[in-house]
Amino acid sequence: MPTIRKPSVRKQSATKKTSNAQKVTSNRLKLLVTIVARNKAEYYADLLQSFEVNMQFLTLAHGTADAKMLDLLGLTDNDKAVIFSVIQESKVPDALHTLEEKFKTIKGGKGVACTVALSSVIGTLIYGFLSNNRLTVKENKQ
């Protein structure tokens, strides 16, 4: 008669030891779109880099208001710049608050900013770069 063995149950330790080098945090990313006067674009791009923004794209734009509307609002310059920045979701509130303060206090520095959620990024190295959570290939294999 064959013997029947009970499956062995392995107890796992309540605390797992993981190396900090191998630990990767999951930071959601957002696309921060900032529209500012063209002559202030470089200032705002530099400001956003202080929030660990590793990738920015700046494009020139032109406002859509006609001359009568610009005169009514007291605006003279219709040339704009749009800054697209990839930023960690956890840094968005601080970045938007800082932008809002700068929009209020800098002469001729008014602007608009909003975020759009990014649903996916292709590749772990690209994600690591964009989220400022870079693991080298060697660390990732360990």
Side-chain angles (χ1 to χ4, degrees), residues 21-35:
Q22 293 177 352
K23 189 181 262 187
V24 178
T25 58
S26 177
N27 297 318
R28 291 181 178 231
L29 299 175
K30 293 213 173 199
L31 180 67
L32 174 62
V33 181
T34 311
I35 304 170

Side-chain angles (χ1 to χ4, degrees), residues 44-46 48-49 53-58 83-86:
Y44 282 109
D46 290 342
L48 290 171
Q49 282 183 344
V53 171
N54 284 337
M55 201 241 6
Q56 291 185 340
F57 175 75
L58 188 132
I83 305 167
F84 297 95
S85 311
V86 177

